[in-house]
Amino acid sequence: EKGTYPHYMLKEMDEQPGVVRKIIQEYSNEAGELTIDDQILEAIKAADRLYIIAAGTSYHAGLVGKQYFEKLAGIPVEVHISSEFGYNMPLLSEKPLFIFITQSGETADSRQVLVKVKELNYPALTITNVPGSTLSREADYTLLLHAGPEIAVASTKAYVAQVAVLAIAAYVTGKSLGKGVVLDLKQELAIVANGIQTIVDSKDELEQIAEDYLKIARNAFFIGRNLDFCVSVEGALKLKEISYIQAEGFAGGELKHGTIALIEEGTPVFALATQEQVALNIRGNVKEVVARGANACIISMEGLNEEGDRLVIPKVHTLLTPLVAVVPLQLISYYAALHRRCDVDKPRNLAKSVTVE
Ligand code: M6R
């Protein structure tokens, strides 16, 4: 039930700090340490390569998950769009493990890949919000998102849950493989939950940003580098799906390879700057678009912020920034859609679970 909320989407965005806390709790053992099921851990450790298969927002979570498994556990990862993988399977490694990320557990594009994977006798793990869903039943293993039902077509809390569960799985694997993982993920995730809370408590500011940048916009761009790039594509998907504003998310460095031709007087460009390694580069990209008339909205992080940044998100561990940085983009999209009187929870032409290929 959405109770006093005008939309499920708003309620579900507000639930995100609680979702992260719930995941910490669900994935902690009696000693209070983060853990995943032993069998799943062994299956991940036995793989020479992970193949993440997903669609839409879940695919975007997979892009972040790749970095977690590679950086924390040292396991190579490929991320594939289900509908592409299904009809054009790449050469596989000798011992692949397939990881299906799906909020609903019912997405037909992903399921058809799972069916093929099982025919080939490869192991499969489903990360889903819905216990007993088709992709959970048909895979060998399941990790649950514990996000509670997600009703709005636009996925918000499930994305945050997917990224958090992927972080935990990669972290636990890295520790078990003796990869010298130094961060205290449990503590860092608790900091993330508080950071998300700060953002969802800044609704007035985010509504104002939507008004200032998107009121009359026909299109919008989202740029970032490294993990911020992964969040940019998710921000663009959120905006287009609920506000019908044409949006594109891409890597900052790609601007000069074509997209910058589209920048005109007043074109909104949302730039994420949460990654220290590439902070200067992304700020350079912002200068390039501003010089061509763009209306740039820089979203940076405490410690990396500069004067003129429109929003500064609370500081979190550099690997975990997607969990927090995605939230302002969700809320900006929400308000942009509201201002345009769009049906936020049920955007045109879309279904919550896409059960046709
Ligand atoms: O249930 P799934 O995670 O498999 O769904 C995948 C996509 O259909 C889904 O994420 C879709 O892109 C959302 N509407 C995005 O907000």
Side-chain angles (χ1 to χ4, degrees):
E1 250 320 295
K2 65 178 190 247
T4 55
Y5 280 95
H7 299 102
Y8 281 107
M9 185 183 174
L10 191 62
K11 172 173 181 271
E12 289 161 7
M13 290 186 290
D14 266 359
E15 286 170 353
Q16 293 178 120
V19 168
V20 173
R21 292 187 187 110
K22 168 92 172 155
I23 287 171
I24 298 173
Q25 197 188 322
E26 292 286 342
Y27 284 93
S28 291
N29 63 17
E30 280 167 10
E33 290 154 357
L34 289 175
T35 179
I36 58 170
D37 178 90
D38 271 348
Q39 271 188 311
I40 299 178
L41 178 58
E42 291 313 314
I44 298 173
K45 283 163 66 181
D48 63 356
R49 187 174 288 258
L50 306 177
Y51 291 81
I52 294 180
I53 311 288
T57 288
S58 298
Y59 170 75
H60 296 155
L63 297 176
V64 179
K66 169 183 166 74
Q67 303 221 19
Y68 291 167
F69 276 107
E70 294 193 342
K71 296 207 165 94
L72 296 172
I75 306 175
V77 182
E78 289 180 26
V79 195
H80 292 273
I81 294 170
S82 327
S83 57
E84 282 296 307
F85 191 96
Y87 297 98
N88 188 17
M89 246 201 225
L91 281 179
L92 299 177
S93 65
E94 272 180 23
K95 296 176 88 188
L97 170 70
F98 284 83
I99 301 182
F100 293 86
I101 307 178
T102 168
Q103 187 284 131
S104 63
E106 302 297 342
T107 299
D109 285 330
S110 302
R111 182 177 179 237
Q112 54 112 351
V113 180
L114 175 56
V115 169
K116 286 196 182 129
V117 160
K118 291 308 345 167
E119 275 167 15
L120 295 168
N121 268 318
Y122 291 126
L125 158 67
T126 292
I127 300 181
T128 183
N129 201 25
V130 184
S133 57
T134 307
L135 273 103
S136 170
R137 282 186 279 107
E138 295 179 357
D140 304 280
Y141 317 102
T142 298
L143 287 174
L144 290 175
L145 296 176
H146 300 290
E150 189 181 66
I151 310 293
V153 165
S155 186
T156 54
K157 63 177 179 171
Y159 172 88
V160 160
Q162 287 162 347
V163 172
V165 169
L166 286 161
I168 291 171
Y171 173 82
V172 171
T173 308
K175 285 205 124 177
S176 170
L177 287 170
K179 290 288 174 187
V181 177
V182 284
L183 85 157
D184 178 347
L185 184 64
K186 192 169 178 179
Q187 192 193 329
E188 297 295 345
L189 283 172
I191 296 171
V192 161
N194 295 340
I196 298 176
Q197 189 63 54
T198 305
I199 306 286
V200 296
D201 289 342
S202 315
K203 292 194 181 68
D204 290 348
E205 172 62 4
L206 292 159
E207 179 161 17
Q208 192 58 50
I209 293 177
E211 168 103 21
D212 292 350
Y213 290 86
L214 297 170
K215 193 165 181 197
I216 52 162
R218 283 181 300 122
N219 57 3
F221 297 99
F222 293 77
I223 58 172
R225 288 171 178 249
N226 193 342
L227 283 169
D228 286 337
F229 162 55
C230 306
V231 180
S232 298
V233 285
E234 173 56 10
L237 175 60
K238 223 71 314 162
L239 185 66
K240 55 189 149 185
E241 122 180 271
I242 59 170
S243 77
Y244 318 142
I245 298 171
Q246 156 125 48
E248 196 183 336
F250 57 95
E254 278 290 284
L255 267 169
K256 58 183 176 298
H257 297 291
T259 314
I260 201 161
L262 291 169
I263 304 293
E264 300 173 347
E265 197 56 43
T267 305
V269 176
F270 294 90
L272 293 174
T274 76
Q275 299 293 301
E276 188 166 11
Q277 229 189 342
V278 287
L280 284 178
N281 311 67
I282 197 72
R283 288 184 185 279
N285 295 137
V286 171
K287 289 200 184 93
E288 289 156 14
V289 292
V290 168
R292 287 156 180 92
N295 193 12
C297 175
I298 301 182
I299 300 178
S300 64
M301 183 170 72
E302 272 170 20
L304 294 174
N305 57 307
E306 289 183 11
E307 209 183 308
D309 293 354
R310 182 61 196 259
L311 189 80
V312 181
I313 66 169
K315 187 166 176 51
V316 294
H317 190 281
T318 186
L319 280 178
L320 302 179
T321 57
L323 292 162
V324 184
V326 75
V327 181
L329 304 187
Q330 297 167 344
L331 279 156
I332 291 167
S333 299
Y334 172 79
Y335 287 113
L338 266 196
H339 294 160
R340 284 168 194 242
R341 305 186 189 286
C342 299
D343 189 347
V344 172
D345 281 341
K346 286 196 168 61
R348 67 187 183 201
N349 309 340
L350 291 172
K352 181 62 183 164
S353 44
V354 185
T355 52
V356 288
E357 279 178 34

